Amino acid sequence: MLKLAERMGRAKPSAIMAVAEKAKQLKAEGRDIVSFSIGVPNFLPGEHVYAAVREALAKDSGQYGSNRGADALLDAYLHHLEEAGLTGYTRKNVATGIGAKHVLYNLAEALLNPGDTIAFAVPYWTTYVDIADIIGAKTKLLPCPAEQNYKLTPAQLDAALPGTHVFLFNNPSNPTGMVYTREEIAALADVLVKHPDVWIICDDIYNRMVFDGIGYHNFVNARPELRDRVIHVDSISKTYGMPGWRVGFIAGPEIVAQAMVTMNSNHITNIPEMVTAAAVAALTGPQDVPQQKNLEFQGKRDQVLAMLDAIPGVKCPRPQGAFYVFPDISCAFGKSHGGVRIDTDVDFCNALLQAKGVACVPGSAFGEPKGLRISYTCPTAQLADGLKRFAEFFAELK
């Protein structure tokens, strides 16, 4: 009997997309559903992006492009890096891919042999574990519960790095929305310097979505000697409301960037001309739309926290970036709603969806079964309605 490759037994469909599909199905059946599940920004880029695409379409060459990325796109990303305070990179230090997920997969293939270890904090973005499983790498999970604000401590990191090949760091965090301060970044960077045999991947795709004036900070600026080991990952998906356009970036040591180019030559060849034009326009054009949305998301964050703070027993560290809130809802375990007993985060999310039509992703999808993720990018009126239903659900628990 013909069989698939062994690695497909380790590959799992996205838990986040599974929740989104279930909500979509209920909506198609006529249910009034408010979805806090999938992490999409829910806005469109400015008109200048579409104008750039129309112009590119009119001039389409129909030819293959660069495996690394068009020069205009590389330069736009380099400018984007400089605005974030990351200077000194050249075209040889950067490469593109079909979204940050594709870039992360290629990095895993380039940096990790089967059996090598990749370490990252818990809660984590679901894809980190999925990619590691597919390529046969071992994961070293570093628990960061709500009691420590979902943040990794220097002591944890120091203990985890011996025997680790890659340390993967997400800041701001998906799923928690937590952002590390300058001082916290510096303390972790001091630890990383002590472990020179570890590659460092920084998943920075929410770096323009930071609230409360806390700012985005990084290891390279904290300890410049880390530059030769740090790989920055970025994307146009979240900041510019362009998740479907699929453009991701890396910046790092030349050897790593070249590895990405080699992988692209075998995987995707190049990013299409029209998509390239859209990404260049987004990165170099007016920034009013993403700046306005960032302020809007900060206000929505405050709405969600106000609702959660009013529920006895719920604990939620204050997120300062991205567009997620990750409350600890374990106070609901052992209770029932409408005769349905809730013992786990999955039970809670299923009951919430069935009873109130509110879709959230169970925390166990991110490695933390005491919590759940709320993505608050839906329209303002829908957000208020969903939060009201969420609070009612808690009030009705027995």
Side-chain angles (χ1 to χ4, degrees), residues 269-293:
T269 303
N270 63 273
I271 296 175
E273 283 188 53
M274 277 60 72
V275 175
T276 293
V280 171
L283 290 167
T284 62
Q287 302 295 303
D288 53 318
V289 171
Q291 289 170 359
Q292 173 192 344
K293 289 299 176 180

Short mmCIF file of all heavy atoms in Angstrom, two decimals, residues 269-293:
data_model
loop_
_atom_site.label_atom_id
_atom_site.label_comp_id
_atom_site.label_asym_id
_atom_site.label_seq_id
_atom_site.Cartn_x
_atom_site.Cartn_y
_atom_site.Cartn_z
N THR A 269 10.91 30.50 -6.33
CA THR A 269 11.61 31.30 -7.34
C THR A 269 11.61 32.76 -6.97
O THR A 269 12.65 33.35 -6.69
CB THR A 269 11.04 31.09 -8.75
OG1 THR A 269 11.10 29.70 -9.08
CG2 THR A 269 11.85 31.88 -9.78
N ASN A 270 10.42 33.38 -6.93
CA ASN A 270 10.39 34.82 -6.62
C ASN A 270 8.99 35.24 -6.17
O ASN A 270 8.00 34.53 -6.41
CB ASN A 270 10.79 35.66 -7.83
CG ASN A 270 9.85 35.50 -9.01
OD1 ASN A 270 10.02 34.59 -9.83
ND2 ASN A 270 8.85 36.36 -9.11
N ILE A 271 8.93 36.40 -5.54
CA ILE A 271 7.65 37.05 -5.23
C ILE A 271 7.14 37.71 -6.50
O ILE A 271 7.91 38.38 -7.20
CB ILE A 271 7.82 38.07 -4.10
CG1 ILE A 271 8.24 37.36 -2.81
CG2 ILE A 271 6.54 38.86 -3.87
CD1 ILE A 271 8.54 38.30 -1.67
N PRO A 272 5.87 37.59 -6.87
CA PRO A 272 5.35 38.18 -8.10
C PRO A 272 5.54 39.71 -8.14
O PRO A 272 5.58 40.38 -7.11
CB PRO A 272 3.87 37.82 -8.06
CG PRO A 272 3.80 36.60 -7.20
CD PRO A 272 4.86 36.78 -6.17
N GLU A 273 5.62 40.23 -9.36
CA GLU A 273 5.88 41.66 -9.55
C GLU A 273 4.82 42.53 -8.89
O GLU A 273 5.13 43.55 -8.27
CB GLU A 273 5.94 41.98 -11.05
CG GLU A 273 7.23 41.58 -11.73
CD GLU A 273 7.30 42.09 -13.16
OE1 GLU A 273 7.11 43.30 -13.37
OE2 GLU A 273 7.54 41.26 -14.06
N MET A 274 3.56 42.17 -9.05
CA MET A 274 2.48 43.00 -8.50
C MET A 274 2.51 43.00 -6.97
O MET A 274 2.29 44.03 -6.33
CB MET A 274 1.11 42.52 -9.00
CG MET A 274 0.75 43.04 -10.38
SD MET A 274 1.91 42.56 -11.67
CE MET A 274 1.53 40.81 -11.83
N VAL A 275 2.80 41.86 -6.39
CA VAL A 275 2.90 41.78 -4.93
C VAL A 275 4.10 42.57 -4.45
O VAL A 275 4.04 43.26 -3.42
CB VAL A 275 2.98 40.30 -4.49
CG1 VAL A 275 3.20 40.21 -2.99
CG2 VAL A 275 1.71 39.56 -4.88
N THR A 276 5.20 42.49 -5.17
CA THR A 276 6.39 43.27 -4.84
C THR A 276 6.07 44.76 -4.83
O THR A 276 6.44 45.49 -3.90
CB THR A 276 7.52 42.98 -5.84
OG1 THR A 276 7.96 41.64 -5.66
CG2 THR A 276 8.70 43.93 -5.63
N ALA A 277 5.36 45.22 -5.86
CA ALA A 277 5.00 46.64 -5.95
C ALA A 277 4.13 47.06 -4.77
O ALA A 277 4.30 48.15 -4.21
CB ALA A 277 4.27 46.91 -7.27
N ALA A 278 3.20 46.19 -4.38
CA ALA A 278 2.32 46.50 -3.24
C ALA A 278 3.13 46.62 -1.96
O ALA A 278 2.92 47.54 -1.15
CB ALA A 278 1.26 45.41 -3.10
N ALA A 279 4.08 45.70 -1.76
CA ALA A 279 4.88 45.72 -0.54
C ALA A 279 5.79 46.94 -0.48
O ALA A 279 5.94 47.57 0.58
CB ALA A 279 5.72 44.44 -0.45
N VAL A 280 6.39 47.31 -1.60
CA VAL A 280 7.24 48.50 -1.65
C VAL A 280 6.42 49.74 -1.31
O VAL A 280 6.84 50.59 -0.52
CB VAL A 280 7.89 48.65 -3.04
CG1 VAL A 280 8.59 50.02 -3.16
CG2 VAL A 280 8.90 47.54 -3.28
N ALA A 281 5.23 49.84 -1.88
CA ALA A 281 4.37 50.99 -1.61
C ALA A 281 3.96 51.05 -0.15
O ALA A 281 3.92 52.12 0.47
CB ALA A 281 3.13 50.94 -2.51
N ALA A 282 3.66 49.89 0.42
CA ALA A 282 3.26 49.86 1.83
C ALA A 282 4.40 50.33 2.73
O ALA A 282 4.19 51.14 3.65
CB ALA A 282 2.83 48.45 2.22
N LEU A 283 5.61 49.85 2.46
CA LEU A 283 6.75 50.16 3.32
C LEU A 283 7.25 51.59 3.16
O LEU A 283 7.73 52.19 4.12
CB LEU A 283 7.89 49.18 3.01
CG LEU A 283 7.69 47.73 3.44
CD1 LEU A 283 8.74 46.83 2.80
CD2 LEU A 283 7.73 47.59 4.96
N THR A 284 7.15 52.13 1.95
CA THR A 284 7.75 53.45 1.68
C THR A 284 6.74 54.58 1.56
O THR A 284 7.12 55.74 1.59
CB THR A 284 8.57 53.40 0.38
OG1 THR A 284 7.70 53.09 -0.72
CG2 THR A 284 9.67 52.36 0.47
N GLY A 285 5.46 54.24 1.42
CA GLY A 285 4.44 55.26 1.22
C GLY A 285 3.93 55.84 2.52
O GLY A 285 4.51 55.64 3.59
N PRO A 286 2.83 56.59 2.46
CA PRO A 286 2.23 57.18 3.66
C PRO A 286 1.94 56.13 4.72
O PRO A 286 1.49 55.03 4.41
CB PRO A 286 0.93 57.81 3.13
CG PRO A 286 1.17 58.02 1.68
CD PRO A 286 2.06 56.91 1.23
N GLN A 287 2.22 56.47 5.97
CA GLN A 287 2.05 55.53 7.07
C GLN A 287 0.83 55.87 7.93
O GLN A 287 0.70 55.37 9.05
CB GLN A 287 3.31 55.52 7.94
CG GLN A 287 4.59 55.15 7.21
CD GLN A 287 4.57 53.73 6.69
OE1 GLN A 287 4.39 52.78 7.45
NE2 GLN A 287 4.74 53.56 5.38
N ASP A 288 -0.05 56.70 7.40
CA ASP A 288 -1.18 57.16 8.20
C ASP A 288 -2.15 56.04 8.57
O ASP A 288 -2.67 55.99 9.69
CB ASP A 288 -1.93 58.29 7.50
CG ASP A 288 -2.35 57.92 6.08
OD1 ASP A 288 -1.54 57.32 5.36
OD2 ASP A 288 -3.48 58.26 5.68
N VAL A 289 -2.39 55.10 7.64
CA VAL A 289 -3.33 54.01 7.94
C VAL A 289 -2.81 53.12 9.07
O VAL A 289 -3.52 52.91 10.06
CB VAL A 289 -3.65 53.19 6.67
CG1 VAL A 289 -4.46 51.95 7.04
CG2 VAL A 289 -4.43 54.03 5.68
N PRO A 290 -1.59 52.57 8.97
CA PRO A 290 -1.12 51.74 10.09
C PRO A 290 -1.01 52.50 11.40
O PRO A 290 -1.28 51.94 12.48
CB PRO A 290 0.25 51.23 9.62
CG PRO A 290 0.63 52.08 8.48
CD PRO A 290 -0.64 52.54 7.85
N GLN A 291 -0.62 53.77 11.36
CA GLN A 291 -0.52 54.55 12.59
C GLN A 291 -1.90 54.76 13.23
O GLN A 291 -2.06 54.65 14.45
CB GLN A 291 0.14 55.89 12.30
CG GLN A 291 1.63 55.76 11.99
CD GLN A 291 2.24 57.05 11.47
OE1 GLN A 291 1.57 58.07 11.31
NE2 GLN A 291 3.54 57.02 11.18
N GLN A 292 -2.89 55.04 12.39
CA GLN A 292 -4.25 55.22 12.89
C GLN A 292 -4.79 53.92 13.48
O GLN A 292 -5.40 53.91 14.55
CB GLN A 292 -5.16 55.68 11.75
CG GLN A 292 -6.65 55.75 12.11
CD GLN A 292 -7.54 55.91 10.88
OE1 GLN A 292 -7.06 56.27 9.81
NE2 GLN A 292 -8.81 55.63 11.03
N LYS A 293 -4.51 52.80 12.80
CA LYS A 293 -4.99 51.51 13.28
C LYS A 293 -4.32 51.12 14.58
O LYS A 293 -4.93 50.49 15.45
CB LYS A 293 -4.78 50.44 12.22
CG LYS A 293 -5.69 50.59 11.02
CD LYS A 293 -7.15 50.48 11.42
CE LYS A 293 -8.09 50.72 10.26
NZ LYS A 293 -9.52 50.61 10.67
#
